[in-house]
Amino acid sequence: MATRIEFSQHGGPEVLKAVEFTPKDPAENEVQVENKAIGINYIDTYIRSGLYPPPSLPSGLGTEAAGVISKVGSGVTHLKVGDRVVYAQSGLGAYSSVHNAPADKVAKIPDAISFEQAAASFLKGLTVFYLLRKTYEIKANETFLFHAAAGGVGLIACQWAKALGAKLIGTVGSAQKAERALQAGAWQTINYQHENISERVKELTGGKKVAVVYDSVGKETWEASLDCLQRRGLMVSFGNSSGPVTGVNLGILNQKGSLYVTRPSLNGYLTTRAEFDEACNELFSLIASGAVKVDVAENQKFALKDAVLAHKTLESRATQGSSLLIP
């Protein structure tokens, strides 16, 4: 028997329940993984709440974890029992002690990287990869704005930007989070509780503003993000932690300087095995070299059965960096 987290209706964290189940054997192109550490991502709260509803209910939750392969499907040749692996985009159900994942979404973990580091960084790191390297390719010495810079994705982005020699301006909600982002490699921070985001960006850039804004906050920062952009700048909206952006008047993009907007996702960028391998290799190289550190605070590691508390903590915006479930 194994344990997994399920929900039978949409709602707050309290709808999550731990249940016992008997794992099925992996299908032809799947592997079965005994999870050692499970990544918690903000998108998990959207699925639970119904903003991004699952195909059916009851449903499992989570798409990212790291562990050891215990069984291999008949069509899988590049992985074997005993391999240390990490996976994301696996189909819902990673909040589990055992999970069957598509083999083409699984990567071997280098010896220099722990299960916890892998689970805390994989989906978030692949996200930063496509944002900074593909959606808009950040160059050395380039200044750009990244919202929620002390979050799980944000802290990796701060470090990645520093490795690229770029200047990340990060928005944060407290002095403590500002310090964390600066330690990670942010060039400057803006505390949106006390500072006007667009005015501060103008100050920091000598009035030039920025060519690209990365925004995972959504509703609360939409207009401020547009006001930070140069003429023909790019607004990258990749999340909505404050709620979705709705009722957009496209004319505003003209009024603010013939701006571009994109709403990218991992699936749109890492669709082939070659794209997946390129992203994994770059991410793992940065972690192994120490350029990107993904240490998880002890108070952000939760037992699998405490998924309710984990989601409450995440949605309170009290966390910094990544959080994990430990089976």
Side-chain angles (χ1 to χ4, degrees), residues 77 104 117 211 278 316:
T77 57
D104 63 350
Q117 286 177 311
E278 179 192 7
S316 73

Side-chain angles (χ1 to χ4, degrees), residues 200-218:
R200 187 72 179 119
V201 166
K202 287 177 191 173
E203 287 176 15
L204 291 169
T205 59
K208 293 179 180 179
K209 302 195 278 190
V210 295
V212 62
V213 173
Y214 297 99
D215 190 338
S216 63
V217 179

Side-chain angles (χ1 to χ4, degrees), residues 181-264:
L182 291 167
Q183 288 172 352
W187 174 61
Q188 299 280 351
T189 60
I190 300 171
N191 185 336
Y192 59 79
Q193 303 281 13
H194 307 294
E195 298 176 286
N196 180 289
I197 294 171
S198 60
E199 288 180 7
R200 187 72 179 119
V201 166
K202 287 177 191 173
E203 287 176 15
L204 291 169
T205 59
K208 293 179 180 179
K209 302 195 278 190
V210 295
V212 62
V213 173
Y214 297 99
D215 190 338
S216 63
V217 179
K219 185 178 177 181
E220 289 180 4
T221 51
W222 164 251
E223 287 225 25
S225 292
L226 298 181
D227 288 336
C228 293
L229 286 167
Q230 298 168 359
R231 182 168 56 96
R232 300 202 304 272
L234 176 63
M235 161 69 166
V236 183
S237 173
F238 70 101
N240 23 247
S241 60
S242 69
V245 177
T246 57
V248 175
N249 170 16
L250 287 177
I252 199 172
L253 303 178
N254 173 21
Q255 296 159 18
K256 293 182 182 292
S258 297
L259 304 178
Y260 294 88
V261 176
T262 185
R263 186 66 170 83

Side-chain angles (χ1 to χ4, degrees), residues 60-280:
L61 193 60
T63 62
E64 171 185 45
V68 177
I69 293 178
S70 54
K71 293 181 181 180
V72 174
S74 59
V76 179
T77 57
H78 65 291
L79 299 165
K80 65 182 186 302
V81 171
D83 280 348
R84 300 171 70 251
V85 295
V86 61
Y87 59 87
Q89 303 171 278
S90 66
L92 296 176
Y95 283 20
S96 179
S97 55
V98 176
H99 185 52
N100 293 344
D104 63 350
K105 303 297 186 184
V106 173
K108 293 182 184 178
I109 305 173
D111 291 341
I113 298 173
S114 70
F115 291 122
E116 290 190 1
Q117 286 177 311
S121 67
F122 196 53
L123 185 59
K124 299 174 184 70
L126 295 182
T127 298
V128 174
F129 170 82
Y130 85 73
L131 290 173
L132 271 57
R133 308 289 285 141
K134 301 296 180 179
T135 305
Y136 178 101
E137 189 174 357
I138 296 294
K139 302 288 200 303
N141 296 314
E142 186 162 21
T143 304
F144 65 100
L145 182 67
F146 203 102
H147 287 289
V153 173
L155 286 176
I156 293 175
C158 289
Q159 296 175 81
W160 208 310
K162 185 178 180 181
L164 293 171
K167 298 177 178 179
L168 181 150
I169 303 171
T171 69
V172 294
S174 70
Q176 184 184 20
K177 289 187 174 185
E179 183 60 31
R180 185 82 189 273
L182 291 167
Q183 288 172 352
W187 174 61
Q188 299 280 351
T189 60
I190 300 171
N191 185 336
Y192 59 79
Q193 303 281 13
H194 307 294
E195 298 176 286
N196 180 289
I197 294 171
S198 60
E199 288 180 7
R200 187 72 179 119
V201 166
K202 287 177 191 173
E203 287 176 15
L204 291 169
T205 59
K208 293 179 180 179
K209 302 195 278 190
V210 295
V212 62
V213 173
Y214 297 99
D215 190 338
S216 63
V217 179
K219 185 178 177 181
E220 289 180 4
T221 51
W222 164 251
E223 287 225 25
S225 292
L226 298 181
D227 288 336
C228 293
L229 286 167
Q230 298 168 359
R231 182 168 56 96
R232 300 202 304 272
L234 176 63
M235 161 69 166
V236 183
S237 173
F238 70 101
N240 23 247
S241 60
S242 69
V245 177
T246 57
V248 175
N249 170 16
L250 287 177
I252 199 172
L253 303 178
N254 173 21
Q255 296 159 18
K256 293 182 182 292
S258 297
L259 304 178
Y260 294 88
V261 176
T262 185
R263 186 66 170 83
S265 71
L266 203 60
N267 288 328
Y269 282 85
L270 308 187
T271 54
T272 68
R273 187 71 207 189
E275 290 168 343
F276 182 73
D277 288 344
E278 179 192 7
C280 291

Side-chain angles (χ1 to χ4, degrees), residues 36-37 66 114-121 294 296 298 301 324 326:
K36 304 297 184 185
S114 70
F115 291 122
E116 290 190 1
Q117 286 177 311
S121 67
V294 281
V296 179
E298 287 301 319
K301 297 177 187 177
L324 294 173
I326 307 297

